[in-house]
Amino acid sequence: MLLREGRLGEISDDVLEFISSREADHRIFEADLLVDRAHLIMLREAGLISEEDASSIIQALDDIDENDLGPGEDVHEAIEAYLIAQVGEVGGRMHMGRSRNDEVATCIRLALRGEILDLMEEVLSLIETIWRRGAENRETLSPGFTHTQHAQPTTLAHHLIAHGDALARDLERLVDAYARLNKSPLGSAAFASTGFPIDRRRTCELLGFDGLIENSMDAVSTRDFILEALSALSIQMVTLSRLAEELILWSTTEFAYIEIDDLFASTSSIMPQKKNPDTAELVRAKAGSVLGSLAAALAICKALPLSYNRDLQEVTPHLWRALSWTRGSTRIMDGCMESVRFDVDRLEKSAGAGFSTATELADSLVRSTGIPFRKAHRIVGALAATGDLPGIEDLDRAGEPLGIRPSEMGFGERELEEALDPRRNVERRDQPGGPAPAETSRMLLVREEQLLQYRSRVGEMREKVERALLQLRGISS
Ligand code: ARG
């Protein structure tokens, strides 16, 4: 084993397997090749390695196939051992002025930023789908709930914009996390930096990072960028889980507001009639797994003294798993929302169920008669207790204990009819952010523009990284 030769004896298979990160290192293999390449080019430019030695190592790097790697504690050791086997002992020159500690931190940041860029695009696509379904349903009345009880009528557009807005904030959290994660720890070596005249800014630039994690001790010790990414993923998964929960609930026979497309449903091995919302259920469950990853990562980091500790190796797999779950869930929800069928008739009938117009009735009483809202609330509350939709005489009777006869105070049949009409309820709620179709149309227009801005922002971030890596790969060996 390359690294043990000088200092330690043989290692057993059992111990090697226990300490190895090889399985998870698959996720940073490509990143490691880029980091090695950038480091070698910098060493060559700084005159720390000869043109000839650098070029033979870089050529061997270009030809590496992951499957050819031999054993090792991690991918860094395995790559170095492979290079030495290929080009001879000059391969051992690559590791001057660095350590696996700054190397692994750099690799994780590099691989993570690629995944976050992909996730941002997946989230954008989901937001676009949800808002588009909203735009198709500006006029579709739907029941609004609090406590899962009918509360007030709203529209499907209003409801869907809400989910899209939550996801837009989730996207912004990813953008914020990206700003802190796309920084270079490379050149910090074990933690004390190095006495070789390396050029940290050059490797930073070659790898497309936006700056340095300056303090070399901080640079190798911190995994706060993982904690921040996992926090953003966790919050996003809570958003997706709440959306999934509604798909599950709304597809039951009891609600029957939607039909999930067959593609996203499963059936039962025994009950032939069953159509189950399994994909939505798994999104709901994976949210739990992602939250668990965040909790695990926080717990691993919380009591570590500076600087590097091997415990840190145990954090990374939680990140990769959480990313896979979140990205998978985002894509599945996109397909689900794209194809879900809304039962518009049923939604509209249900919009007025459970005396959901009671709030507007109280509001209308205030508007027409000038009585204080609390009194109107009491009158309508007394009516609601009877269970039937009220007529004008019922209103007068309910007002009696308070000495109020609405019918003699400007509140007639026409006012009552309007107040009890779910569509009028919705039209009246035209304050900023309300469900009135005119207002949701305005909101959707603003969001269309917002989507374009998000897209160009994410596009710029990706371009910057891709331009740097293209140049790096183009630098000849
Ligand atoms: N596989 C290790 C990790 O993921 C790489 C760094 C090892 N460094 C060390 N000093 N043992 O953290």
Side-chain angles (χ1 to χ4, degrees):
M1 209 66 51
L2 181 70
L3 304 180
R4 299 175 68 88
E5 277 160 10
R7 175 72 174 79
L8 301 170
E10 290 285 296
I11 194 169
S12 70
D13 290 348
D14 204 26
V15 175
L16 181 60
E17 196 193 325
F18 185 75
I19 65 170
S20 168
S21 57
R22 287 297 289 278
E23 208 180 309
D25 284 352
H26 174 64
R27 305 285 284 252
I28 56 170
F29 171 71
E30 291 295 334
D32 205 8
L33 297 183
L34 291 167
V35 170
D36 286 348
R37 188 179 179 87
H39 182 65
L40 281 162
I41 287 166
M42 179 278 292
L43 289 180
R44 182 172 68 186
E45 288 171 358
L48 292 166
I49 186 173
S50 72
E51 294 278 339
E52 202 187 350
D53 290 352
S55 108
S56 70
I57 306 174
I58 294 173
Q59 271 168 26
L61 264 181
D62 285 346
D63 292 338
I64 286 192
D65 183 318
E66 196 179 355
N67 298 315
D68 295 342
L69 295 180
E73 281 182 28
D74 52 36
V75 69
H76 320 293
E77 181 184 9
I79 288 178
E80 192 180 336
Y82 174 88
L83 290 173
I84 292 172
Q86 291 298 305
V87 304
E89 64 184 24
V90 296
R93 292 192 180 279
M94 178 173 71
H95 209 57
M96 73 185 294
R98 73 169 194 192
S99 144
R100 285 184 296 164
N101 298 352
D102 58 336
E103 188 180 357
V104 72
T106 312
C107 292
I108 300 168
R109 286 172 185 271
L110 212 137
L112 174 57
R113 79 179 176 196
E115 295 246 20
I116 295 283
L117 284 171
D118 290 343
L119 174 60
M120 286 180 194
E121 274 165 15
E122 288 155 354
V123 174
L124 268 171
S125 168
L126 172 58
I127 296 171
E128 189 172 20
T129 301
I130 291 176
W131 283 344
R132 180 164 11 90
R133 298 307 309 263
E136 294 161 11
N137 287 284
R138 288 169 221 249
E139 305 279 343
T140 308
L141 294 179
S142 71
F145 298 89
T146 61
H147 312 269
T148 330
Q149 305 282 330
H150 284 271
Q152 294 183 55
T154 183
T155 66
L156 204 45
H158 190 231
H159 196 129
L160 289 168
I161 294 171
H163 282 300
D165 283 5
L167 277 163
R169 290 190 297 275
D170 294 332
L171 176 72
E172 286 171 14
R173 268 183 282 274
L174 293 175
V175 173
D176 290 348
Y178 187 94
R180 274 176 293 276
L181 77 85
N182 193 32
K183 295 271 167 74
S184 177
L186 197 61
S188 298
F191 79 89
S193 86
T194 174
F196 291 114
I198 58 160
D199 186 349
R200 290 192 66 192
R201 294 193 191 286
R202 180 62 176 143
T203 46
C204 168
E205 180 196 6
L206 286 168
L207 290 167
F209 285 113
D210 294 323
L212 299 179
I213 301 288
E214 195 169 39
N215 182 304
S216 59
M217 199 165 207
D218 179 33
V220 297
S221 311
T222 188
R223 294 293 182 271
D224 60 352
F225 67 100
I226 296 186
L227 302 179
E228 189 173 4
L230 282 172
S231 306
L233 298 183
S234 296
I235 297 171
Q236 190 206 319
M237 284 304 288
V238 169
T239 306
L240 292 186
S241 183
R242 296 183 72 185
L243 179 58
E245 171 66 9
E246 285 190 346
L247 291 177
I248 295 162
L249 211 56
W250 284 26
S251 64
T252 58
T253 314
E254 287 67 26
F255 279 80
Y257 296 157
I258 59 169
E259 183 169 359
I260 291 173
D261 192 81
D262 283 2
L263 180 60
F264 298 99
S266 300
T267 187
S268 155
S269 64
I270 175 172
M271 298 167 282
Q273 87 287 6
K274 290 282 274 173
K275 178 170 177 181
N276 297 325
D278 292 36
T279 51
E281 288 173 315
L282 284 166
V283 168
R284 190 172 60 180
K286 283 175 200 291
S289 298
V290 174
L291 307 196
S293 307
L294 170 62
L298 287 166
I300 294 167
C301 291
K302 74 171 179 43
L304 296 182
L306 300 188
S307 61
Y308 180 84
N309 299 271
R310 193 63 174 261
D311 310 50
L312 293 176
Q313 172 174 297
E314 201 67 12
V315 176
T316 323
H318 292 291
L319 173 66
W320 303 138
R321 283 198 297 265
L323 269 167
S324 299
W325 290 324
T326 306
R327 291 190 53 197
S329 300
T330 307
R331 292 192 301 263
I332 288 292
M333 289 309 271
D334 195 357
C336 244
M337 293 308 293
E338 174 84 49
S339 56
V340 69
R341 284 178 291 283
F342 296 103
D343 186 335
V344 171
D345 285 347
R346 195 164 157 87
L347 278 163
E348 298 213 325
K349 273 198 198 93
S350 191
F355 197 5
S356 67
T357 49
T359 309
E360 177 53 32
L361 180 54
D363 288 352
S364 296
L365 281 172
V366 170
R367 241 181 253 124
S368 305
T369 67
I371 60 173
F373 177 77
R374 188 51 58 213
K375 281 194 170 163
H377 184 274
R378 262 175 70 183
I379 294 171
V380 179
L383 288 169
T386 71
D388 297 323
L389 279 184
I392 203 81
E393 323 73 46
D394 303 318
L395 263 180
D396 284 344
R397 206 170 315 119
E400 243 162 51
L402 302 175
I404 293 167
R405 284 182 70 79
S407 69
E408 290 166 14
M409 300 165 75
F411 192 88
E413 292 288 353
R414 199 172 62 84
E415 284 75 16
L416 178 62
E417 196 185 311
E418 278 210 6
L420 297 181
D421 177 2
R423 192 164 296 280
R424 281 297 293 145
N425 272 238
V426 158
E427 282 164 3
R428 279 192 169 141
R429 281 162 176 69
D430 61 357
Q431 291 300 304
E439 175 56 13
T440 52
S441 294
R442 185 199 62 78
M443 284 197 263
L444 284 164
L445 219 65
V446 172
R447 280 153 185 73
E448 246 175 64
E449 179 57 33
Q450 207 181 327
L451 265 179
L452 289 177
Q453 279 169 14
Y454 285 143
R455 276 206 193 289
S456 80
R457 177 106 185 262
V458 173
E460 276 164 25
M461 287 153 82
R462 188 186 280 288
E463 244 171 65
K464 183 180 173 200
V465 161
E466 279 176 359
R467 209 179 314 122
L469 296 187
L470 201 71
Q471 261 171 30
L472 173 62
R473 288 198 179 94
I475 295 175
S476 63
S477 56

